[in-house]
Amino acid sequence: MKFTKLALTLLCCTALFCGCTKDSDVVIKVNDKGITKAEFSEDFNRIKNAELKNAPKELQKNNSYAVLALKNRYVNDVVVRELLAQEFEKRKLTASEEEIKAKKEFLVKQIGSEELFNKILKENDISEEKLNSDMAKEVKMDKLVASLANVKITDADAEKFYKENKAEFTLPERVQASHILFETNIEAIKKSIADADKNANLTTEAIEKKAKEQLDKNLALAQEVQKKASKNPKNFAQLAKEYSQDKGSAQNGGDLGFITREQVVKEFGDAAFSQKVGTVSPLVKSQFGTHIIYVRDKAAKETQSFSKVKADIKQFLEKRQKIDTTRELIVGLKNKATIEFVDKSLDPANIQKQLEKAMPGPKQQKQEKKK
């Protein structure tokens, strides 16, 4: 079964617990506590820029369906943030430096690496100060949920879930593969050359000539490296680090881990799954370039035993129960709260009307899906 990592947890909590600035221009009141125009605009624009930075310009306009939908969601997040902040204060919940540090370490572990964690922070314009503030509120949220939800998942609960969802624990046939990639897509090579030509000094003919030369060079190098890898597969990782143009896997010696057919393009899958363990493939061409594939291990289709997945199931069920408790808490807080949209343009009812007017046609919907 696929249990979702917490890579998105960081983004969710920062959207929910963004920082505030003082301003007399209140746009939303939650139980008589004001949310200012400055704080709303600053954080909304930060999130909008992060989420829509690669979208077409039309979708980045304030009256576009994409921006309105984001605003609709963000208005709710702002209200929820304030309701939770008031609840934290009411219950006198605190977060120590050690607890904040532990929360950050937990997120880094779930995301996979410190490097990826810092990349997410940078992409979403989250400073160290803001992160610490957000983590403090996450710690308080954990304490609040723990006080409300008596979460205790037994082995019997986990086994029941396992039996009812057994198909989810069936793993397909897999191969453990590494690869070395060379760029042999002529259009991609042309684009790379054109992008590097900052002053546009090269003519179209010159770009095409240079691209053809680079393609021939890459293919010749691929053939040379394939021969080296076939002669001594044990050196494959070193060759990948030295020559592979897939920088993501190159630093790990080209290792892609265990993969299924559905995770890779057909040409790659056909080659990898037909190879014997310990062998190196001939050159394999795909839409991504030219690959040299080394198959390190194979695993047949299997259903994981309950004992192997029990801990993961219990963790999943505990998390699901906490999510349900959080949802019920927020609904309860909203029902009891007095919420006033001083700026009528932020009233969800009014945003919904704008959304209906801005509803994208078939062409725009296609663009949305590509984001």
Side-chain angles (χ1 to χ4, degrees):
M1 179 161 184
K2 296 178 181 178
F3 293 97
T4 306
K5 285 189 175 182
L6 294 183
L8 294 181
T9 299
L10 179 61
L11 302 185
C12 292
C13 74
T14 52
L16 214 59
F17 296 128
C18 43
C20 303
T21 58
K22 291 185 178 180
D23 192 312
S24 59
D25 192 3
V26 171
V27 291
I28 303 173
K29 283 186 178 179
V30 181
N31 292 331
D32 293 328
K33 288 200 174 182
I35 296 164
T36 67
K37 182 177 181 179
E39 96 178 82
F40 184 95
S41 298
E42 180 183 349
D43 292 307
F44 175 68
N45 289 333
R46 177 180 60 80
I47 292 169
K48 182 183 73 172
N49 292 338
E51 292 203 19
L52 300 179
K53 64 182 177 182
N54 295 321
K57 288 185 179 179
E58 282 298 311
L59 295 180
Q60 296 183 34
K61 291 182 178 179
N62 289 333
N63 62 347
S64 75
Y65 185 87
V67 172
L68 288 170
L70 186 62
K71 181 182 285 187
N72 193 43
R73 188 183 79 201
Y74 183 68
V75 166
N76 179 69
D77 288 346
V78 166
V79 170
V80 170
R81 175 201 69 196
E82 182 56 43
L83 287 170
L84 289 173
Q86 291 176 22
E87 194 67 14
F88 297 155
E89 186 177 354
K90 176 183 173 183
R91 294 171 181 261
K92 294 181 171 48
L93 296 175
T94 60
S96 67
E97 288 185 12
E98 291 76 15
E99 289 170 327
I100 293 170
K101 182 181 178 182
K103 172 62 72 174
K104 287 164 65 176
E105 290 174 349
F106 174 76
L107 284 173
V108 169
K109 184 178 180 181
Q110 292 297 309
I111 288 170
S113 70
E114 186 109 22
E115 182 182 4
L116 182 55
F117 180 80
N118 289 329
K119 182 182 178 183
I120 291 172
L121 295 182
K122 185 176 180 180
E123 287 176 350
N124 290 275
D125 193 24
I126 300 169
S127 66
E128 185 70 18
E129 182 181 2
K130 182 179 286 292
L131 175 66
N132 287 334
S133 175
D134 294 337
M135 293 299 95
K137 289 161 187 170
E138 277 288 288
V139 170
K140 294 174 187 178
M141 189 67 199
D142 289 344
K143 291 179 178 180
L144 178 56
V145 172
S147 70
L148 297 171
N150 184 20
V151 180
K152 188 176 182 181
I153 305 299
T154 65
D155 288 355
D157 294 329
E159 189 168 10
K160 182 175 181 290
F161 182 87
Y162 174 80
K163 289 178 179 178
E164 291 175 350
N165 299 275
K166 206 162 186 178
E168 297 291 334
F169 299 96
T170 298
L171 299 175
E173 179 187 10
R174 292 145 289 142
V175 297
Q176 187 178 13
S178 299
H179 84 144
I180 301 172
L181 178 69
F182 295 89
E183 181 58 83
T184 53
N185 182 313
I186 189 67
E187 295 304 321
I189 295 174
K190 285 182 187 177
K191 185 178 184 306
S192 178
I193 292 171
D195 289 346
D197 183 25
K198 302 296 183 182
N199 297 320
N201 294 322
L202 296 174
T203 64
T204 301
E205 292 75 15
I207 291 175
E208 288 180 353
K209 182 181 178 182
K210 288 177 70 71
K212 180 65 169 61
E213 291 172 352
Q214 187 61 52
L215 174 62
D216 291 342
K217 183 178 178 181
N218 287 357
L219 284 171
L221 182 60
Q223 291 170 349
E224 181 185 337
V225 174
Q226 194 278 335
K227 289 178 183 177
K228 289 182 179 180
S230 295
K231 188 174 181 180
N232 192 352
K234 290 183 178 179
N235 287 339
F236 194 92
Q238 186 56 45
L239 291 170
K241 289 178 181 178
E242 187 174 350
Y243 296 107
S244 182
Q245 292 173 359
D246 175 9
K247 300 307 177 185
S249 66
Q251 59 186 352
N252 297 320
D255 184 21
L256 300 174
F258 275 98
I259 58 173
T260 65
R261 281 184 177 273
E262 291 72 25
Q263 291 176 311
V264 292
V265 292
K266 185 177 185 302
E267 298 87 349
F268 193 103
D270 288 346
F273 281 84
S274 63
Q275 280 178 237
K276 292 181 179 179
V277 173
T279 63
V280 173
S281 74
L283 298 182
V284 177
K285 292 185 179 180
S286 80
Q287 66 195 68
F288 297 107
T290 298
H291 312 260
I292 304 169
I293 304 169
Y294 175 44
V295 173
R296 298 160 58 200
D297 198 2
K298 288 191 175 186
K301 180 179 178 179
E302 63 170 324
T303 298
Q304 296 171 288
S305 66
F306 173 64
S307 61
K308 188 173 183 179
V309 297
K310 181 174 73 173
D312 284 339
I313 293 174
K314 292 180 82 169
Q315 184 182 44
F316 170 76
L317 293 177
E318 287 174 2
K319 190 182 300 181
R320 188 172 71 176
Q321 193 166 329
K322 288 180 179 179
I323 289 172
D324 290 342
T325 299
T326 303
R327 187 179 294 114
E328 290 172 9
L329 167 67
I330 290 171
V331 169
L333 291 175
K334 277 186 172 182
N335 288 339
K336 292 186 293 183
T338 300
I339 302 169
E340 180 187 356
F341 296 98
V342 181
D343 182 343
K344 299 304 179 185
S345 70
L346 300 181
D347 188 323
N350 290 332
I351 296 176
Q352 189 58 45
K353 289 178 184 178
Q354 294 178 67
L355 278 168
E356 289 170 5
K357 288 181 182 179
M359 183 71 71
K363 186 177 179 180
Q364 286 174 297
Q365 288 176 341
K366 192 173 182 181
Q367 287 178 321
E368 288 274 2
K369 288 179 181 178
K370 285 183 177 179
K371 281 193 318 176

